[in-house]
Amino acid sequence: MDNHSIHGMWSSRLAFILAASGSAVGLGNIWRFPYLASDNGGGAFVLIYLACIVLVGLPIMAAEILMGRQGRMSPVNTLRKLTREGGHSGGWTVIGWIGMVAAVLILSFYSVVGGWTMHYTWLYIAQIFGGAPITDPVATFTGMLASPGTLIFWHSMFMLVTVGVVALGVEKGLERAVKFLMPLLFLILLGLLGYGISTGNVGQAIEFLFKPDFSEVTGDTLLAALGQAFFSLSLGMCGIMTYGAYLPKDISIPRVAVVVSATDTSVALLAGLAIFPVLFTFGIAPAGGGPGLIFTSLPLAFNDMPFGIPYAVAFFGLLFVAAWTSSISLLEPPTAFLVEMGKMSRRTSAIVAALFIWAIGLVTALGFNVWQNVRVFGRDLQGAIEFVASDLMLPIGGLLIAIFAGYFLSRDIARSELSQLSKAGFAIWRFLICIVAPVLVLVVLAFKLFG
Ligand code: PHE
């Protein structure tokens, strides 16, 4: 019983690695990382980001996977089981609830942005067949945002493909999808990278991404880097914990955690090396690009370069696939939770969860037009939801996971789950999870709230 989840199991180590990498690699790598790096002084930001991945991301990822594998249930019920068996306060179940609410909120706006990637893929496919070119990318982008119908249509399509996978279950849905989609994603990325290299401007991009200029580092750089580490590795919202619940006992957690973190980081860097050379070639300054960087500046380059239209289809297709495999991991925890309530089949559970999240997504979609003047915490609606979920709930969730795994979960359980680590390796993990990760996250949270 302990060695099996009622929801199904990954059939192999590779299946887990692809699924967890699919969750981690997403809009965060290809859309958010490049503009954060360019807004925060390039190389110095990248270095700090890498340090955050190793010191905070890796140990928390291992903690999430091992807690999931111990509990074998959706986050809320995994925490219930762990606290009951360990004789701890049931209050720790709040970790599961924070995770689930964060997943619901993140998916609600992620699906709208995922819809943009579908819309743009479609616009460029249409161009191959004689559709109108995008001559004024800013007008196209703002036109899309101004149209509730367009946003809601593509938000619905994105939710539909997501629920389509999750409804089919762990082996027949999630695993089959990532086994097909992740190789496709790597293939497209390599193609784009090849083009980036062929422009001859890769040197400039490498210098921009890797040459640290510490004079540009401020407290904000640190905040941005740690926040991005959480968001990009999908940590703090128990999605990786849920995937850990389906991980067979004999698979090494330290090893998969390292592979998944390394994959996620490599994709972010490679995406940077694919995108920046193109921007440099066409004289588009990356600094201060902001969230619109990809949607408003790259289309200018696509218009000018040879094979720009098929290239654009590949590019937005890559974004779409990356977003899709991430959204699957956001819908899985609430779906598994509904299944565990015992009243609904997986299919019904997935559909109910998706409908609920789709409805919340309407707030984001309408926040760009009908409600564009509404401000919450000084932000527009999408910004406010993203702030609460990504900037507050993920670090708070991560902090609680670190404290629970470090101070409450029995040392023997952790040791047996991480049995592949050497004695020294385990001591390092304990040090990172008990001290380094909580202190860093607390400092960053304090800055965010009071700084
Ligand atoms: N990691 C995903 C990305 O980089 C986003 C995500 C966050 C997915 C949290 C799941 C959970 O785009």
Side-chain angles (χ1 to χ4, degrees):
M1 173 68 192
D2 259 3
N3 277 327
H4 216 80
S5 134
I6 58 164
H7 304 290
M9 298 290 282
W10 305 117
S11 69
S12 64
R13 181 171 73 208
L14 181 69
F16 174 85
I17 288 177
L18 290 177
S21 307
S23 170
V25 172
L27 298 171
N29 303 61
I30 303 162
W31 162 74
R32 204 164 184 248
F33 178 78
Y35 82 76
L36 280 181
S38 79
D39 287 354
N40 286 288
F45 171 84
V46 174
L47 265 183
I48 297 173
Y49 172 72
L50 293 179
C52 291
I53 296 277
V54 176
L55 297 177
V56 182
L58 249 182
I60 292 186
M61 180 175 290
E64 277 205 29
I65 302 174
L66 81 85
M67 286 166 65
R69 190 157 77 176
Q70 276 290 311
R72 293 267 186 246
M73 301 280 258
S74 74
V76 170
N77 288 320
T78 281
L79 262 300
R80 272 194 193 136
K81 177 162 182 260
L82 293 182
T83 50
R84 200 177 307 132
E85 287 177 0
H88 312 299
S89 154
W92 286 105
T93 310
V94 73
I95 294 178
W97 287 109
I98 292 180
M100 207 154 59
V101 174
V104 165
L105 290 179
I106 293 178
L107 183 53
S108 79
F109 73 79
Y110 208 81
S111 168
V112 175
V113 180
W116 301 355
T117 68
M118 287 176 103
H119 178 55
Y120 271 73
T121 311
W122 169 248
L123 285 179
Y124 280 101
I125 290 178
Q127 281 187 50
I128 297 181
F129 299 101
I134 297 178
T135 46
D136 184 349
V138 174
T140 303
F141 187 66
T142 48
M144 173 182 75
L145 293 188
S147 160
T150 308
L151 289 183
I152 293 173
F153 174 76
W154 290 107
H155 163 52
S156 311
M157 286 295 132
F158 189 83
M159 213 44 147
L160 212 61
V161 296
T162 302
V163 75
V165 171
V166 174
L168 290 175
V170 176
E171 292 97 336
K172 291 213 181 83
L174 279 64
E175 183 165 328
R176 260 209 327 215
V178 297
K179 279 195 164 154
F180 169 68
L181 293 175
M182 292 310 284
L184 178 69
L185 184 139
F186 292 129
L187 214 70
I188 301 177
L189 184 63
L190 286 182
L192 300 183
L193 190 66
Y195 182 84
I197 292 172
S198 76
T199 62
N201 284 331
V202 152
Q204 212 179 335
I206 290 180
E207 190 179 319
F208 178 73
L209 278 175
F210 296 107
K211 195 171 153 213
D213 176 0
F214 285 101
S215 68
E216 290 208 32
V217 173
T218 62
D220 286 345
T221 317
L222 203 71
L223 300 191
L226 189 71
Q228 172 65 3
F230 268 99
F231 187 80
S232 190
L233 291 177
S234 307
L235 293 178
M237 47 64 73
C238 306
I240 297 291
M241 192 184 290
T242 311
Y243 278 10
Y246 313 150
L247 185 68
K249 205 75 192 168
D250 56 332
I251 293 174
S252 161
I253 291 178
R255 186 158 165 186
V256 291
V258 168
V259 173
V260 171
S261 309
T263 305
D264 183 64
T265 308
S266 318
V267 171
L269 296 175
L270 292 178
L273 290 181
I275 293 168
F276 286 121
V278 174
L279 292 180
F280 289 133
T281 303
F282 292 92
I284 303 162
L293 180 70
I294 274 172
F295 293 96
T296 55
S297 63
L298 279 175
L300 285 176
F302 296 153
N303 284 342
D304 275 350
M305 61 201 248
F307 306 109
I309 303 306
Y311 181 94
V313 173
F315 181 82
F316 287 111
L318 170 78
L319 265 181
F320 163 59
V321 170
W324 188 9
T325 53
S326 296
S327 64
I328 291 170
S329 76
L330 289 160
L331 188 57
E332 178 63 24
T335 300
F337 178 72
L338 290 182
V339 171
E340 287 162 12
M341 300 206 341
K343 300 254 182 323
M344 291 181 277
S345 67
R346 168 167 273 262
R347 225 171 79 189
T348 316
S349 302
I351 294 172
V352 168
L355 269 177
F356 179 70
I357 298 169
W358 175 84
I360 300 179
L362 296 180
V363 176
T364 289
L366 296 176
F368 288 114
N369 34 68
V370 181
W371 293 330
Q372 61 175 325
N373 295 322
V374 179
R375 286 289 172 277
V376 182
F377 307 128
R379 296 155 211 264
D380 60 20
L381 287 169
Q382 188 273 330
I385 296 175
E386 180 172 357
F387 172 72
V388 170
S390 321
D391 290 1
L392 297 181
M393 296 180 83
L394 293 189
I396 291 174
L399 176 67
L400 293 176
I401 288 169
I403 294 176
F404 184 80
Y407 294 94
F408 289 85
L409 191 72
S410 104
R411 200 172 174 283
D412 293 342
I413 290 182
R415 186 64 186 121
S416 77
E417 285 289 352
L418 303 177
S419 61
Q420 289 85 356
L421 283 179
S422 66
K423 216 169 157 214
F426 186 67
I428 293 176
W429 176 77
R430 293 270 304 171
F431 177 65
L432 292 175
I433 203 82
C434 289
I435 311 223
V436 178
V439 168
L440 277 176
V441 175
L442 264 179
V443 169
V444 166
L445 268 175
F447 263 112
K448 220 167 240 171
L449 291 175
F450 312 111

